[in-house]
Amino acid sequence: MTLITRGLLLAGLLCCLPVSQPLAKDCLSASEYQRQLIDNTTTQDLHAVEALSQSILSSCPAPLDNRLGRVVDAATIYISLFKLQTDANDAQARLLTQDFSQSGVAEQAFYYQLLASYSLRQGQTKQALSLTHLLTNDMLKNLEPQESASLQLAVATIHFDIEFYQSVRELLSPLLDHPQQAVKMRAAILLWYTPQSQQQLNQSLAIVRQYQQLPDTLLKVSALEVLARDASARNNLQQGEQYLSEAISLAQKLGATSREIDLKLMAAELFASTSPQTSLITVPVTALNSSQQLALTEQEIASATQQQQWQRASILHEQALKLREIIDKNKSLAREYASFELVEQARQLEQAQQQARLQALAAEKQEQQRLIYILALICAVLGLTMVSLLFIKKRRAADHFEKLANTDGLTQVLNRRAIQHFAEQVSANSKLRKQPFVVALADIDHFKSVNDTYGHDAGDVVLTEFAQRTNKLIRQQDRLGRWGGEEWLIIMTNTELKAVNALFTRMQSAIRTVSAAGHELTITFSMGAVAGDGSEPVEALIQAADALLYKAKHNGRNQLVTTVAP
């Protein structure tokens, strides 16, 4: 056999051999990949997380082992928090069913915090709270100091989104002196929104101003957002727009669509910039969270109102009401779980208390029956007296519970259901007696900036003071109710529409300044009012007053707009 023949035969044999898998030497250990992933998520380096995930998929043999699969799923979930086109539901489902019993505490904590963040993004508030409860109660105390910072940041971020501000301060205040810059910066950013004191606010802002030392990551985007809000609060709009423009450009560079949308919504709100609608051309609205959808809808309402497209504005307003209802429901659920450190204990205590109440009611019923029987034999008159006393007692208790059911827990004025019921009664009486009445809807101007600048507690003070001072100004036969958030419904009985002008002036004077969070806040509000005579539904009057309220907002706020309902 010639050399040429042998060469051709050898080449043919080599061509028939199967293609080998990628070399395993290029695939790092699961522990090393996991360490890199934790570091990159702590510094919020989105590109590094994407590159790490691609490295595993291209360098490691398939199928991936269990631990490598977890790392890929965790990276997918993290990326999906900022890139709306990524569907991480399958990754979430896999991680939720994983057995972490053989894993270290730090590894378990990392996966659970990612699952909690994703659950909150998906509107699964209860699941997010349950996971943070597990993290803070069972895992945080077992972590080394250098490992616990990432967990504290993750839990604090979730608690910030559901307005557990005291928990945010407790978790993050110690991290302002952390040696790692990314940890210190993330803590400072959240504490700027929820400062415990003026000193802490100044300290947080000083750290955030060092943003130029950061690489181009999502953390730098958040720092620029804080500086933009701070500049806006100080009325330095030009500087604020510069910071925000830089943040938007960086978010686009990173491909963080969710953050880009948030920033453009902020630009439209604070600086009257171009509508964020243009950034959503390729993004389905269902991919946005409820807060983003609401903010976008409110921007579209303002645009439609400005263009006098009243029908479109009305349709958008209905959409906004539904979104606000979803958000309020989630916040209400979060507040029900506000004592997250005692969730299980509270549940057991509630069950025990409910059982005790049932037993007490049963015992009370038996006692009442026995007393009635004995007293009836002794003296019918005494028996009737005792029955009367029991009836009065129960009636008072019923009145007490009815008052609780009809009262807003924070401001102690009528809640939405009660004020609407009162309005319907007034409408019916007005139709019967041919008397006019007034429906007025008021909204505190720039209330969101109060919460953003001074914290949720200060916002609660403003709401309470508004309710108490207004309640003193209306007549005894009139009623004030909290319609939702910072909106208030006022029903004035047997009154002409012109009477609301004097009330609005008195309210402006009484509510002009409010002391909260160590500051004297200047408070203004806008109001729309219509007159009714009982011939039209109350819902139609409220919608008409709401449309006038939006007109007052559009005209510059701090004013009253009235008309007679058709």
Side-chain angles (χ1 to χ4, degrees):
M1 185 180 296
T2 66
L3 290 175
I4 296 176
T5 304
R6 290 179 180 177
L8 290 172
L9 180 61
L10 179 59
L13 290 172
L14 290 173
C15 289
C16 295
L17 291 176
V19 178
S20 62
Q21 295 286 348
L23 294 177
K25 67 179 181 180
D26 297 327
C27 180
L28 303 177
S29 67
S31 299
E32 178 60 25
Y33 276 126
Q34 181 181 296
R35 185 193 63 77
Q36 291 185 23
L37 182 59
I38 293 175
D39 291 343
N40 293 333
T41 54
T42 301
T43 58
Q44 297 192 336
D45 193 335
L46 187 60
H47 280 172
V49 174
E50 292 179 296
L52 182 142
S53 180
Q54 288 300 318
S55 173
I56 296 175
L57 294 174
S58 62
S59 301
C60 298
L64 299 177
D65 67 33
N66 222 16
R67 293 191 68 194
L68 281 174
R70 291 176 191 170
V71 176
V72 173
D73 283 339
T76 301
I77 287 175
Y78 184 79
I79 293 167
S80 74
L81 294 174
F82 305 99
K83 292 199 168 188
L84 299 178
Q85 72 273 19
T86 304
D87 183 2
N89 291 338
D90 292 340
Q92 179 198 32
R94 283 192 295 270
L95 284 183
L96 283 172
T97 58
Q98 287 286 331
D99 179 13
F100 292 105
S101 58
Q102 302 302 317
S103 305
V105 178
E107 181 180 350
Q108 294 181 48
F110 173 69
Y111 290 122
Y112 287 148
Q113 64 183 268
L114 271 179
L115 287 169
S117 298
Y118 185 73
S119 298
L120 187 63
R121 171 78 192 186
Q122 297 298 97
Q124 300 165 352
T125 309
K126 184 175 180 180
Q127 180 167 285
L129 286 172
S130 298
L131 288 168
T132 59
H133 169 70
L134 174 67
L135 289 166
T136 53
N137 277 31
D138 299 343
M139 297 187 177
L140 185 58
K141 59 188 176 183
N142 296 321
L143 291 173
E144 297 295 329
Q146 62 270 23
E147 298 172 334
S148 63
S150 176
L151 174 58
Q152 289 172 259
L153 287 167
V155 173
T157 301
I158 294 169
H159 287 180
F160 176 80
D161 287 340
I162 52 183
E163 300 179 1
F164 290 176
Y165 297 130
Q166 183 59 36
S167 169
V168 173
R169 290 189 284 265
E170 290 174 356
L171 285 166
L172 298 186
S173 294
L175 298 184
L176 288 179
D177 297 320
H178 197 276
Q180 189 176 350
Q181 186 187 30
V183 172
K184 182 165 59 176
M185 181 68 73
R186 286 180 63 185
I189 288 170
L190 284 183
L191 287 173
W192 181 86
Y193 288 99
T194 59
Q196 196 163 16
S197 63
Q198 184 64 41
Q199 180 183 359
Q200 188 176 79
L201 178 64
N202 295 337
Q203 183 182 9
S204 299
L205 191 58
I207 294 172
V208 174
R209 290 190 187 282
Q210 301 171 16
Y211 77 98
Q212 292 179 333
Q213 301 175 13
L214 299 172
D216 287 345
T217 62
L218 291 167
L219 185 54
K220 191 172 185 178
V221 172
S222 297
L224 286 164
E225 179 183 358
V226 166
L227 294 174
R229 290 189 180 277
D230 179 70
S232 173
R234 290 184 287 103
N235 207 29
N236 189 348
L237 300 184
Q238 183 178 4
Q239 182 67 62
E241 286 188 287
Q242 290 176 357
Y243 283 131
L244 194 55
S245 176
E246 187 178 348
I248 292 173
S249 297
L250 182 53
Q252 291 172 337
K253 175 183 175 182
L254 297 173
T257 308
S258 179
R259 292 293 289 124
E260 180 186 347
I261 292 169
D262 288 336
L263 294 168
K264 288 187 175 180
L265 288 169
M266 174 184 163
E269 175 192 354
L270 297 183
F271 305 112
S273 300
T274 304
S275 170
Q277 184 67 27
T278 54
S279 67
L280 300 178
I281 294 175
T282 59
V283 178
V285 175
T286 53
L288 308 179
N289 61 33
S290 298
S291 297
Q292 289 174 328
Q293 292 182 42
L294 177 59
L296 182 63
T297 304
E298 289 176 342
Q299 293 291 337
E300 293 185 67
I301 290 173
S303 175
T305 304
Q306 185 177 11
Q307 299 171 20
Q308 297 186 350
Q309 298 174 350
W310 307 118
Q311 184 176 4
R312 180 167 176 264
S314 178
I315 294 172
L316 290 169
H317 178 60
E318 289 297 323
Q319 295 175 3
L321 287 177
K322 292 178 182 178
L323 287 168
R324 190 177 289 113
E325 184 178 349
I326 293 172
I327 293 170
D328 289 343
K329 182 179 179 181
N330 283 338
K331 288 184 178 179
S332 176
L333 176 62
R335 289 191 176 95
E336 289 177 10
Y337 285 84
S339 300
F340 59 95
E341 293 183 352
L342 300 172
V343 170
E344 183 61 25
Q345 296 92 323
R347 184 185 66 81
Q348 294 175 356
L349 178 60
E350 182 181 356
Q351 289 179 344
Q353 290 175 338
Q354 184 176 8
Q355 185 65 28
R357 285 194 297 268
L358 290 174
Q359 292 175 353
L361 286 173
E364 182 182 355
K365 184 177 180 181
Q366 292 176 357
E367 182 66 15
Q368 288 173 1
Q369 291 174 343
R370 187 179 69 85
L371 288 174
I372 291 172
Y373 176 75
I374 295 174
L375 292 173
L377 293 175
I378 297 172
C379 180
V381 175
L382 183 58
L384 289 173
T385 303
M386 291 299 297
V387 170
S388 299
L389 290 174
L390 288 172
F391 176 80
I392 293 171
K393 179 181 178 181
K394 288 184 177 180
R395 183 61 187 174
R396 287 177 178 173
D399 291 342
H400 174 69
F401 287 118
E402 183 179 359
K403 182 179 179 182
L404 290 177
N406 292 332
T407 303
D408 179 64
L410 174 65
T411 61
Q412 297 301 302
V413 298
L414 293 181
N415 58 25
R416 184 186 182 109
R417 181 182 67 83
I419 190 65
Q420 184 167 2
H421 179 64
F422 177 76
E424 290 169 351
Q425 289 180 322
V426 170
S427 179
N429 290 336
S430 296
K431 183 176 182 181
L432 182 65
R433 300 176 183 176
K434 299 185 180 344
Q435 295 175 342
F437 67 100
V438 173
V439 174
L441 194 63
D443 184 275
I444 300 174
D445 296 330
H446 303 297
F447 180 74
K448 185 175 182 296
S449 66
V450 174
N451 278 335
D452 290 344
T453 305
Y454 303 103
H456 186 71
D457 294 341
D460 287 350
V461 172
V462 171
L463 293 174
T464 303
E465 288 296 317
F466 185 96
Q468 291 178 353
R469 297 181 192 183
T470 302
N471 228 5
K472 292 178 181 178
L473 297 176
I474 62 177
R475 300 174 304 171
Q476 187 175 1
Q477 64 267 34
D478 300 336
R479 293 291 184 274
L480 167 70
R482 187 176 180 186
W483 191 244
E486 65 272 19
E487 285 189 324
W488 313 86
L489 190 65
I490 303 173
I491 307 299
M492 304 175 68
T493 63
N494 192 18
T495 304
E496 299 289 345
L497 183 60
K498 61 184 179 181
V500 78
N501 294 312
L503 174 62
F504 180 79
T505 302
R506 293 197 303 273
M507 288 172 62
Q508 279 185 311
S509 177
I511 303 167
R512 183 169 293 116
T513 59
V514 174
S515 298
H519 297 272
E520 285 293 318
L521 308 181
T522 300
I523 303 300
T524 64
F525 65 97
S526 304
M527 183 185 289
V530 296
D533 57 8
S535 62
E536 58 279 313
V538 168
E539 290 82 0
L541 293 174
I542 295 175
Q543 288 179 0
D546 193 30
L548 293 172
L549 170 60
Y550 270 96
K551 187 174 181 181
K553 291 283 189 181
H554 174 68
N555 290 345
R557 297 183 171 86
N558 193 24
Q559 58 184 272
L560 166 68
V561 177
T562 63
T563 187
V564 178

